[in-house]
């Protein structure tokens, strides 16, 4: 599943580098040569993101999770472009109609603030939870999907989700067409 996510992430425009922030473990990840790897805490995911941002001198980070194998690169690119247009600390497409298409863009300053101030375990595990819990300080600009998008759950959390995603992949007419339209057609098949 990670290979599907990385393939789609590499198709996003507006990214300077793709960095996989993984936990220290005995598990070996195979990643494409053009993907950088940041290894860190198995429980403090926020720390992994900050370490990656520091190492690669990122002005902003784009958070995409490994449970989104149907991520749409064009939609993700829209979120990134919108982040730079609105000049806010936090921009995303996260909502009820985008589960599995999730993209969050966070300024380095907001990420560093979260890292310095967060203490709740859930805010360390879920990178943007600190920001979401402080919306008055970190207002979020949200990018909506097209009106025609029905909003099915596309993230993989359980076996039934994995079965649904496999069904969609088996019905993609062109496996390298990562558009919402192609995904929608495969869902309807």
């Amino acid at each position: 599943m990670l290979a599907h996510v990385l393939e789609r992430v590499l198709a996003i425009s507006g990214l300077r580098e793709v960095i996989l922030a993984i936990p220290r473990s005995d598990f070996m990840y195979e990643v494409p040569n053009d993907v950088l790897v940041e290894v860190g805490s198995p429980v403090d995911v926020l720390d992994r993101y900050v370490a990656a941002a520091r190492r690669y001198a990122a002005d902003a980070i784009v958070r995409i999770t490994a449970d989104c194998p149907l991520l749409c690169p064009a939609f993700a690119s829209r979120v990134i472009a919108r982040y730079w247009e609105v000049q806010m600390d936090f921009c995303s497409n996260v909502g009820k109609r985008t589960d599995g298409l999730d993209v969050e863009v966070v300024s380095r300053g907001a990420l560093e603030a979260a890292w310095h101030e967060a203490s709740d375990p859930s805010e360390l595990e879920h990178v943007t939870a600190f920001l979401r819990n402080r919306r008055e300080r970190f207002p979020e600009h949200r990018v909506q999907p097209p009106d025609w998008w029905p909003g099915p759950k596309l993230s993989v959390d359980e076996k039934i989700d994995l079965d649904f995603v496999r069904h969609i992949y088996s019905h993609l007419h062109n496996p390298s067409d990562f558009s919402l339209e192609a995904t929608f057609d495969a869902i309807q098949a």
Side-chain angles (χ1 to χ4, degrees), residues 139-153:
E140 176 184 4
H141 180 80
R142 187 152 310 142
V143 178
Q144 298 296 328
D147 290 339
W148 57 264
W149 180 251
K153 180 184 185 311

Side-chain angles (χ1 to χ4, degrees), residues 19-23 36-40 47-49 51-53 55-56:
I19 304 164
L20 180 63
I22 58 173
L36 303 167
V37 177
E38 181 67 35
V39 179
D47 186 66
R48 278 189 254 155
Y49 273 73
R55 175 174 293 173
Y56 298 104

Side-chain angles (χ1 to χ4, degrees), residues 133-173:
N133 291 338
R134 291 158 183 82
R135 291 187 188 267
E136 69 291 339
R137 184 171 163 200
F138 301 102
E140 176 184 4
H141 180 80
R142 187 152 310 142
V143 178
Q144 298 296 328
D147 290 339
W148 57 264
W149 180 251
K153 180 184 185 311
L154 299 176
S155 62
V156 177
D157 300 305
E158 300 177 13
K159 184 179 181 322
I160 191 168
D161 304 327
L162 182 59
D163 292 342
F164 183 52
V165 167
R166 285 181 173 152
H167 166 81
I168 293 168
Y169 263 97
S170 73
H171 287 87
L172 287 172
H173 297 295

Side-chain angles (χ1 to χ4, degrees), residues 81-176:
R82 193 72 183 129
Y83 167 82
W84 293 111
E85 289 169 15
V86 299
Q87 296 289 305
M88 293 175 69
D89 282 323
F90 188 28
C91 183
S92 85
N93 68 354
V94 175
K96 291 180 182 176
R97 294 178 49 234
T98 58
D99 189 356
L101 303 172
D102 308 11
V103 177
E104 298 172 302
V105 187
V106 180
S107 72
R108 169 82 175 269
L111 189 68
E112 291 277 357
W115 184 80
H116 283 289
E117 299 172 36
S119 58
D120 186 292
S122 70
E123 292 179 343
L124 303 176
E125 179 185 357
H126 304 284
V127 175
T128 58
F130 180 87
L131 307 178
R132 291 184 184 284
N133 291 338
R134 291 158 183 82
R135 291 187 188 267
E136 69 291 339
R137 184 171 163 200
F138 301 102
E140 176 184 4
H141 180 80
R142 187 152 310 142
V143 178
Q144 298 296 328
D147 290 339
W148 57 264
W149 180 251
K153 180 184 185 311
L154 299 176
S155 62
V156 177
D157 300 305
E158 300 177 13
K159 184 179 181 322
I160 191 168
D161 304 327
L162 182 59
D163 292 342
F164 183 52
V165 167
R166 285 181 173 152
H167 166 81
I168 293 168
Y169 263 97
S170 73
H171 287 87
L172 287 172
H173 297 295
N174 177 355
S176 56

Side-chain angles (χ1 to χ4, degrees), residues 1-12 15 18 20 32 35 63-73 100 102 154-156 165 169 178:
M1 189 164 65
L2 180 60
H4 289 296
V5 175
L6 289 174
E7 182 181 24
R8 288 171 178 250
V9 168
L10 288 167
I12 296 171
L15 296 177
V18 174
L20 180 63
V35 174
R63 179 175 183 256
I64 296 169
T65 58
D67 63 350
C68 296
L70 291 165
L71 174 79
C72 173
D102 308 11
L154 299 176
S155 62
V156 177
V165 167
Y169 263 97
F178 304 144

